[in-house]
Amino acid sequence: MTTPADLAHEVLLRVAAFVKSLPADQLADLASGEAKLELVPKAGRSPRPPRRPAAAGAALSRPVTEIQDMLSQLETRQAATQYLNDLKLTVPQLKELAKVLGIPAPAKSTKTTLTTTIVDTTTGRRADSLALSAP
């Protein structure tokens, strides 16, 4: 049985031989990051699923200032979460809201993750601060 180290060694030898055979311009593109090497199965590439169109309709159903004001007035995380859920915002809309509010959101976030991030950053931090400062 071949060990992973032996396989890695064999792969690196093949990659080195391939890269050595490249013309100077392609090698320069690889070195600068303008080009990349891609693993393609021996049978060829499988067809990619069609790309979804860009997220249309990222416009919010309510003005951002109204949403921000409401989130600042709500006293609990649960109330803020319910408020955002009641708006029935899509993932692109939640990403847009987070962006406008200056809240970093990972590119591949779910609706629940985005809602939690927005609530924690707005209502949650204020609620935590109030709880800590209460006698």
Side-chain angles (χ1 to χ4, degrees):
M1 180 176 207
T2 307
T3 67
D6 291 337
L7 288 173
H9 183 263
E10 182 65 31
V11 168
L12 288 174
L13 288 174
R14 288 179 188 226
V15 170
F18 170 75
V19 170
K20 188 176 179 181
S21 69
L22 291 176
D25 60 329
Q26 290 179 350
L27 195 55
D29 288 345
L30 269 176
S32 69
E34 292 179 37
K36 65 179 182 176
L37 295 177
E38 184 176 347
L39 178 64
V40 179
K42 209 171 192 178
R45 294 182 181 188
S46 60
R48 288 187 175 180
R51 292 190 83 184
R52 288 180 166 171
L60 299 171
S61 56
R62 302 211 186 274
V64 173
T65 53
E66 180 183 323
I67 296 172
Q68 190 173 20
D69 289 342
M70 187 57 135
L71 289 172
S72 68
Q73 292 172 15
L74 295 170
E75 295 181 9
T76 65
R77 285 180 167 87
Q78 293 81 9
T81 300
Q82 186 61 48
Y83 172 72
L84 287 178
N85 289 338
D86 288 346
L87 291 176
K88 298 186 187 316
L89 300 175
T90 62
V91 171
Q93 289 172 323
L94 286 168
K95 285 182 181 181
E96 181 62 25
L97 177 62
K99 180 180 172 185
V100 171
L101 294 176
I103 300 169
K108 294 191 176 194
S109 296
T110 63
K111 191 172 186 176
T112 304
T113 304
L114 287 166
T115 301
T116 302
T117 302
I118 292 169
V119 167
D120 284 346
T121 306
T122 57
T123 308
R125 285 193 180 158
R126 186 176 40 76
D128 289 346
S129 177
L130 288 173
L132 290 173
S133 64

